[in-house]
Amino acid sequence: MHSLGSYFSYSAGDRLSNNIQEIINFPADDNNAQIKASSQGVLGRADGKKGNWAVNWVSTKAGYATELPGTVQAIDETFNAVIDEYKQNFENLRREGPTTKTITALKDCFQKELSMIEGLKNICNVYHQRYDLPKESAESKTLASSVYSSLFQVDASKKQEGLHLLDDTAHKWGSVIAQHGEEFSQLVQYYKEQQEAQSGSFDLSASVISPKAFQQFSKQEATGRLDAFLATWSHHIDPTEAREMIDQGQELMGYILKGVVTNPAETPMGSEKAVTSLMWYLMKLAIDKKQGHDQGSFGIEDPQGRLYQFLLKAEGCGDRESSHYVGRSEATTGISTLVMKSSRHKGIDVVSGKLPADKRHLLFAQVDANTPPLHGDASSSAKEKILFIKLEDFSPFMTTAYGYDFAMHGAELAIAQYNKAFLPGSDDLPEMAKERVPAATVREFIAQVRNLDHVNLSEINQKMTARGFAGEPEKAAKLYGIAYMTAFMQEAGNLAILPIEFDPSKFFASLPNLDHMDRRTGREVYLTADELI
């Protein structure tokens, strides 16, 4: 909650953005939740255990007399500003005609309205539950009025006036937004018919033609819709800014892969925004695959290493330890190896709050790919590399945020290692996109390997070595993941004689429904070179 003094530093734009978020994020099921406007018209939470509008804010009759009207007025003015934004975008659409750009801009405004009216309904419901007068008896009403008066030094009917103000405001703006919904649906239908008549196709995604209030999105929807992703996991960037970042990232990616741009500092946007835009473009590619995520990583084919070299030159890039791809990338040396094996990777801080899913750090490295050895030489240790990228909640660098990030990163790492050791499967849920091999798949693979005899295993291991996968099957499965296990099962299926107990169907049934199964390790978002452009 903001301190009262901090409100004096708010600009008009900051105040509007803050008020929109306070309305949208007001909880539906917390009877202690409260919202109040400061003297500057800035909305903030003022929760109190007694459910008292005056707690931590005002306690005098004079102060309370202006509190409710001021809060409702701030809510009303916020809606008015958002409605004006819708009208402006509607006029732009009428002037320029319906296009993907103009319809998407109008949709963003309408979706913001839907989310705000949902939040205002929550405010009304919570306050009615708290302040509606008891109806049991005249005695209980008198007692309630006495209690209210002792708390607020004002007659309880004042609170009823406040509820009426809230209800009237919700009804007024609800009617306006319902009208906007009808307008938007008609526009989309008109544009759809126009496009299909001209080209036989329709290029608007479900996230554009089916707007929903942010509060109504599920995590499953967030994996495959940009608007749902923003509402669920990215709270510091609005849809318009996110789309601008995606477009900039796509353009920049093209220049990087062509070798035109090699250094983030040389871009017009600067190093931090260049890195941020690239990450938004990558996340949009993941969302298009229905693999958007709050926790996860990317495996990216970067044959010439141009994207990797670009990130190496980013401002603040430094060496760091990593618990990822141990055995498939350069190992860390030193005293830390006594605690756990780790890899020597790179990291970049991006603490602007603009990274996807509100992350603050970018971890990356070149790691061995799940493809045959270079030049087809099975005896060679040279492997093709892929670029591993993972967005993290906190930085591991000790100087970031005066050590706060370092402490929080350490705590998260400890929890992750505990889950990995004692709660297998808890960190490879379907909505996650981690490169960790799904626990159920590993179990089925090991069960089938143990059904093979020594002759079978010897033949398969020879063929797997030729493919560039060395090592005993159970260990290799955990190192190389899905690509190794599917190749192993395919080689086993080619054998002339197999034990009757061997049944690979159970293994294949345990695999996640993802693309590039011949290259991936776990659930990571795997992007080929062709998919990057």
Side-chain angles (χ1 to χ4, degrees), residues 390-494:
K390 180 176 183 286
L391 300 177
E392 299 194 327
D393 293 316
F394 301 101
S395 167
F397 299 147
M398 295 186 68
T399 55
T400 304
Y402 303 98
Y404 170 78
D405 272 61
F406 176 76
M408 295 302 295
H409 178 83
E412 284 198 337
L413 177 61
I415 293 171
Q417 293 302 311
Y418 176 87
N419 289 341
K420 185 177 179 181
F422 299 105
L423 298 172
S426 64
D427 55 358
D428 59 28
L429 300 175
E431 66 267 21
M432 296 179 178
K434 298 187 177 184
E435 78 282 357
R436 209 154 284 155
V437 187
T441 301
V442 173
R443 285 196 300 270
E444 287 298 337
F445 175 78
I446 291 174
Q448 296 309 315
V449 167
R450 293 176 180 176
N451 285 332
L452 295 169
D453 60 34
H454 294 296
V455 175
N456 296 147
L457 289 174
S458 177
E459 289 185 56
I460 297 171
N461 285 341
Q462 288 180 10
K463 294 179 179 180
M464 294 303 292
T465 301
R467 285 178 176 239
F469 295 117
E472 183 269 327
E474 294 185 16
K475 291 182 179 179
K478 296 176 181 178
L479 180 62
Y480 298 109
I482 289 173
Y484 173 87
M485 291 187 286
T486 54
F488 185 99
M489 288 298 177
Q490 289 165 359
E491 294 292 357
N494 292 331

Side-chain angles (χ1 to χ4, degrees), residues 89 92-93 96-108 184 187-188 190-192 194-195 198-199 201-209 240 243 247 284:
N89 278 277
N92 290 342
L93 187 147
E96 300 175 16
T99 64
T100 299
K101 181 179 179 181
T102 56
I103 289 180
T104 300
L106 189 66
K107 170 263 177 185
D108 287 343
F184 183 78
L187 279 168
V188 169
Y190 171 77
Y191 182 63
K192 182 175 184 291
Q194 185 185 57
Q195 274 204 318
Q198 292 174 355
S199 63
S201 62
F202 182 55
D203 64 4
L204 290 180
S205 65
S207 67
V208 175
I209 64 175
T240 301
R243 289 192 180 92
D247 291 342
K284 179 57 167 60

